[in-house]
């Protein structure tokens, strides 16, 4: 244990390693139409059934010719036309050329295309003002994709980059891994639904909205079980019911050390506690374990802690469970601090911040204000996390800070 480690708290990297080690990717698959394949994970390598392009075609508007004919004369008679979808057909006499448009099939025997800007046209007589080299401006068969080549590996998230690729290949259906099923609920007698009046000591349950929004961005099937009161038997029945239906159970609240926090006792009886308490801020009372065959991730009750722990800890678990082998954590980049960031050594601190490029072309970052774990307003203003390492103390103006710009899950 280092000088800045907090006794009893597990480093974030160690926690993630355990989460991933305990997660087995799903194997069940579904066959979906291409129109429904967006944001699904491929269950197998996808190979091209065709060559792309399937025929040699022109990269320019111009004239297809035989280089040997051009060596005999710079002026060739026009013998026909080749348009996209309407190729030239028939005999092609020696000493002539073919008018051709971009993407159109190159006539058999042609070994060059000269762009129209390098010609002079006089009726059906075409004079070429530039020489030709073999295969210039011709896209050969399979120039983009070879038939049988792996175009999308197994475990790839299908996005607007991949789906059009599949359409180009004429693939109408895709085999994908089924979505992870994640049941989630909040705990606490003090919680009320939005739209209801608040009584004394009560607050609105915002955490389920955070969890649902992020789970859907993570391409999971979100199962909202509502708010469960601080009643041991009701909690137990909710856990057991969720474990029957879901691959993962996510809760908010009920994982600290209060007298009304029953979650740990239920896990000890109905499942297993993997670890409890992480060296992360906000989000220290994060719990991980199992309930029957389901994985369990217990998030703290404070709103910002919910979002941070979902983003940092639960997201890689769900990516592995979904079979997303191409998933990568958010990239971290260096920026110069424009404001002071308060911090005590002992925990990795994910502070809400906003980054920009200053007039000197430098990447700079500033705090968005109140960093309390219940202060969601400073998160709504942010566009990144300033990730302050576990052993660091205060960050002064001008110091270098690692930032993680918000990914698609948070945007």
């Amino acid at each position: 244990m280092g000088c800045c480690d907090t006794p009893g708290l597990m480093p974030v990297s160690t926690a993630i390693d355990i989460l991933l080690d305990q997660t087995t990717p799903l194997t069940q698959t579904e066959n979906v139409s291409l129109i429904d394949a967006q944001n699904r994970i491929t269950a197998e390598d996808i190979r091209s059934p065709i060559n792309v392009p399937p025929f040699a075609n022109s990269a320019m508007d111009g004239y297809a010719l035989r280089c040997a004919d051009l060596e005999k004369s710079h002026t060739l008679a026009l013998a026909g036309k080749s348009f996209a979808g309407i190729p030239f057909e028939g005999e092609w006499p020696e000493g002539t050329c073919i008018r051709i448009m971009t993407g159109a099939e190159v006539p058999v025997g042609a070994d060059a295309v000269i762009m129209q800007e390098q010609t002079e046209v006089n009726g059906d007589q075409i004079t070429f003002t530039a020489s030709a080299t073999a295969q210039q401006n011709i896209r050969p068969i399979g120039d983009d994709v070879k038939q049988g080549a792996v175009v999308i590996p197994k475990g790839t998230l299908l996005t607007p980059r991949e789906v059009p690729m599949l359409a180009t290949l004429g693939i109408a259906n895709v085999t994908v891994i089924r979505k992870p099923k994640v049941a989630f609920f909040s705990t606490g007698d003090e919680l009320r639904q939005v739209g209801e009046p608040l009584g004394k000591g009560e607050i609105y349950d915002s955490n389920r909205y955070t969890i649902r929004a992020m789970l859907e961005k993570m391409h999971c099937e979100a199962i909202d079980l509502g708010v469960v009161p601080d009643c041991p038997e009701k909690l137990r029945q909710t856990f057991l019911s969720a474990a029957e239906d879901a691959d993962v159970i996510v809760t908010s609240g009920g994982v600290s050390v209060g007298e009304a926090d029953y979650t740990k006792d239920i896990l000890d009886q109905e499942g297993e506690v993997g670890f409890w308490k992480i060296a992360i801020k906000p989000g220290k009372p994060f719990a991980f374990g199992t309930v029957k065959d389901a994985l369990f991730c217990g998030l703290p009750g404070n709103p910002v802690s919910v979002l941070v722990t979902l983003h940092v800890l639960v997201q890689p678990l769900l990516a592995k469970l979904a079979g997303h082998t191409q998933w990568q954590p958010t990239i971290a980049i260096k920026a110069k601090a424009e404001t002071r960031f308060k911090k005590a050594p002992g925990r990795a601190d994910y502070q809400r911040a906003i980054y920009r490029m200053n007039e000197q072309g430098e990447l700079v970052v500033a705090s968005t204000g109140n960093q309390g774990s219940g202060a969601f307003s400073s998160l709504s203003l942010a566009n990144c996390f300033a990730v302050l390492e576990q052993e660091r103390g205060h960050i002064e103006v001008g110091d270098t800070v690692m930032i993680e710009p918000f990914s698609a899950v948070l945007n």
Side-chain angles (χ1 to χ4, degrees):
M1 183 177 293
C3 63
C4 295
D5 292 334
T6 303
L9 299 185
M10 179 180 292
V12 172
S13 59
T14 302
I16 292 175
D17 286 344
I18 294 174
L19 289 166
L20 295 180
D21 184 62
Q22 296 297 312
T23 301
T24 301
L26 297 171
T27 57
Q28 299 95 328
T29 63
E30 302 171 348
N31 192 261
V32 298
S33 67
L34 186 60
I35 199 69
D36 296 320
Q38 177 86 359
N39 294 325
R40 301 302 300 269
I41 307 294
T42 55
E44 58 191 15
D45 289 345
I46 300 178
R47 296 180 179 273
S48 177
I50 61 172
N51 287 306
V52 180
F55 49 83
N57 69 86
S58 177
M60 297 284 180
D61 290 346
Y63 297 86
L65 49 78
R66 305 177 184 93
C67 291
D69 288 340
L70 194 62
E71 291 174 359
K72 298 174 184 176
S73 174
H74 291 300
T75 299
L76 303 176
L78 186 65
K81 299 176 181 178
S82 181
F83 293 163
I86 311 175
F88 172 81
E89 295 179 342
E91 288 193 23
W92 179 20
E94 292 185 10
T96 63
C97 62
I98 304 294
R99 177 72 165 132
I100 194 167
M101 308 305 287
T102 302
E105 184 173 356
V106 174
V108 175
D111 55 7
V113 171
I114 293 183
M115 67 178 69
Q116 60 189 17
E117 291 83 358
Q118 295 175 332
T119 64
E120 294 175 357
V121 180
N122 184 13
D124 287 342
Q125 298 297 307
I126 313 299
T127 299
F128 295 90
T129 60
S131 59
T133 58
Q135 301 306 311
Q136 77 175 42
N137 299 323
I138 294 177
R139 303 170 180 142
I141 294 174
D143 183 48
D144 185 18
V145 179
K146 296 287 192 299
Q147 185 175 12
V150 175
V151 289
I152 300 178
K154 176 182 177 180
T156 299
L157 176 69
L158 296 175
T159 73
R161 297 190 305 275
E162 290 82 13
V163 171
M165 178 79 255
L166 297 177
T168 298
L169 303 176
I171 294 175
N173 294 280
V174 185
T175 302
V176 297
I177 300 170
R178 76 162 174 85
K179 292 183 178 182
K181 297 178 181 180
V182 184
F184 63 98
F185 59 91
S186 298
T187 64
D189 293 332
E190 76 282 9
L191 299 178
R192 287 293 172 267
Q193 303 280 6
V194 297
E196 296 179 350
L198 291 178
K200 188 175 181 180
E202 295 178 340
I203 59 174
Y204 289 119
D205 175 27
S206 65
N207 290 344
R208 282 174 31 252
Y209 291 87
T210 300
I211 294 169
R212 174 185 284 279
M214 292 183 68
L215 288 178
E216 290 178 350
K217 284 289 192 80
M218 296 175 192
H219 320 303
C220 297
E221 181 181 332
I223 305 170
D224 188 350
L225 301 181
V227 177
V228 180
D230 289 322
C231 168
E233 191 52 38
K234 288 185 178 180
L235 275 173
R236 184 189 310 279
Q237 290 305 316
T238 303
F239 269 115
L240 293 178
S241 176
E244 291 291 326
D245 299 329
D247 305 298
V248 182
I249 303 170
V250 174
T251 65
S252 69
V255 292
S256 61
V257 292
E259 291 182 3
D261 295 328
Y262 304 115
T263 301
K264 191 173 187 299
D265 292 338
I266 294 171
L267 287 180
D268 286 336
Q269 297 166 15
E270 305 293 350
E272 182 178 344
V273 178
F275 58 75
W276 207 283
K277 297 184 181 179
I278 307 297
I280 188 173
K281 183 178 180 182
K284 179 178 70 173
F286 176 90
F288 173 68
T290 58
V291 180
K292 302 302 182 182
D293 294 328
L295 297 173
F296 165 71
C297 294
L299 314 183
N302 285 314
V304 181
S305 300
V306 167
L307 185 142
V308 169
T309 51
L310 261 175
H311 175 68
V312 177
L313 299 167
V314 182
Q315 184 176 192
L317 178 156
L318 293 176
K320 182 175 180 181
L321 182 67
H324 189 183
T325 59
Q326 314 298 316
W327 183 85
Q328 294 290 330
T330 306
I331 189 171
I333 54 180
K334 293 180 180 180
K336 182 184 292 186
E338 277 194 307
T339 59
R340 190 172 191 259
F341 291 84
K342 296 180 180 180
K343 182 186 181 297
R347 287 190 280 166
D349 198 344
Y350 286 74
Q351 296 204 14
R352 287 84 83 190
I354 187 163
Y355 74 95
R356 64 182 182 88
M357 193 76 73
N358 67 12
E359 294 76 10
Q360 291 73 44
E362 300 172 313
L363 198 64
V364 294
V365 62
S367 171
T368 54
N370 188 345
Q371 296 297 316
S373 58
F376 213 86
S377 59
S378 61
L379 183 56
S380 67
L381 299 172
N383 64 5
C384 72
F385 288 120
V387 184
L388 312 182
E389 298 87 345
Q390 184 172 337
E391 68 277 5
R392 288 185 79 172
H394 298 314
I395 309 299
E396 305 298 338
V397 173
D399 286 352
T400 297
V401 177
M402 299 304 296
I403 66 169
E404 291 184 3
F406 286 166
S407 65
V409 170
L410 297 178
N411 282 321

